[in-house]
Amino acid sequence: MTTAAITSASVEMVELDLFLEALFRRYHYDFRSYSRASLQRRAEVACMRLNCATLSDLQRRLLHEPDVLPEVIDAMTVQVSALFRDPEFYLSLRQDVIPYLRTFPSIKVWVAGCADGEELYSLAILFREEGLFERTVFYATEINRRALAKAETGVYDISRMTEFSQNYQQSGGRSSLSDYYTAGYGRAVFDRTLRSRTVFTEHNLATDQVFSEVHLVSCRNVLIYFDHALQERAIGLFAESLARGGFLGLGAHETLRFSGHAQAFIPFDETQRIWRRSAVQEVHHAR
């Protein structure tokens, strides 16, 4: 790599650091511990969307034009999911986790990083079919306000229903997915009762604190965008939030194997990335 190329790369890293610091200090959105490679890609997307030639230009607009913030946050967060994504995960929940959850008189489920809501509706449908919906409160949290608002509407492009339906059937669905939504004008609108037990709220795994006595935390394909320190903080939050004997579900490429909080969990179905909160009392507080 030439000296000029090294200098250019160094300038880009400085620009990225300053942009992230401005985003945090001006608006309290903290992306500073996210994976650098992912941040660089997402920042480039933000520049393109807002017609900014450089991150310095984007930083200037962010500081002086608050109206661009929603577009920046939308670009900086990844909203890629599907109903019953990785069907075997939901099949394991249905067959192996649900029998334990039945023993609790009331249930709390935290969907951390709920994106556009696909994971939430998957769990709501599963819990309804297994007879646990009416005694469950779901907490759907997300840093992206636009995504959270979309999740609350429960509206998706009708073209996605074929994939969603296939996933649902492979996950052990007891009916037809079409029983849960109304189609029209190119959209599928999910039954509003599916979100009647849900609290939608902003939550940042980098800065915010725990929910208490949760029986299932589902945080799938979120940790892969964090650096190691932020992964550790998030896993610490989950450990503190879970009731003893509660369950944690992660994404297909995420693990607790190298976490300093691993002692707080017992492997339950590692193939499907499901762990159970152990009876260990001491959990290091997430800072």
Side-chain angles (χ1 to χ4, degrees), residues 16-111:
L16 181 59
D17 287 339
L18 293 174
F19 166 70
L20 296 174
E21 191 66 26
L23 186 58
F24 174 66
R25 293 178 65 177
R26 179 76 167 84
Y27 301 103
H28 308 292
Y29 283 96
D30 193 352
F31 289 92
R32 295 172 300 177
S33 294
Y34 282 51
S35 162
R36 301 296 291 189
S38 175
L39 283 174
Q40 190 69 48
R41 291 192 299 270
R42 304 312 300 175
E44 290 171 0
V45 170
C47 285
M48 286 189 292
R49 289 188 183 181
L50 291 163
N51 297 314
C52 295
T54 66
L55 266 177
S56 293
D57 188 23
L58 181 61
Q59 178 189 324
R60 178 191 61 77
R61 292 193 63 187
L62 186 66
L63 289 173
H64 299 287
E65 302 175 35
D67 289 349
V68 307
L69 178 64
E71 193 68 42
V72 170
I73 297 301
D74 207 43
M76 293 298 293
T77 53
V78 180
Q79 311 300 326
V80 179
S81 191
L83 257 75
F84 295 95
R85 181 182 183 181
D86 302 321
E88 295 82 3
F89 169 80
Y90 290 95
L91 185 61
S92 182
L93 288 184
R94 190 186 294 271
Q95 294 180 342
D96 302 321
V97 174
I98 289 293
Y100 288 96
L101 296 183
R102 288 189 200 282
T103 65
F104 296 104
S106 60
I107 302 166
K108 293 180 182 178
V109 175
W110 178 14
V111 184

Side-chain angles (χ1 to χ4, degrees), residues 143-208:
I143 189 176
N144 185 329
R145 294 179 186 176
R146 284 186 179 179
L148 196 62
K150 180 174 174 57
E152 198 162 1
T153 67
V155 177
Y156 301 97
D157 193 307
I158 195 67
S159 65
R160 304 184 71 193
M161 292 306 110
T162 298
E163 175 196 3
F164 290 178
S165 295
Q166 290 173 348
N167 289 348
Y168 167 74
Q169 293 299 330
Q170 293 170 15
S171 73
R174 300 185 183 279
S175 181
S176 169
L177 188 64
S178 61
D179 293 340
Y180 297 103
Y181 67 83
T182 302
Y185 302 100
R187 304 185 307 168
V189 182
F190 276 81
D191 184 346
R192 68 177 59 189
T193 63
L194 289 173
R195 54 186 181 274
S196 64
R197 305 284 301 171
T198 300
V199 177
F200 294 90
T201 186
E202 284 186 64
H203 185 275
N204 189 338
L205 290 170
T207 56
D208 293 333

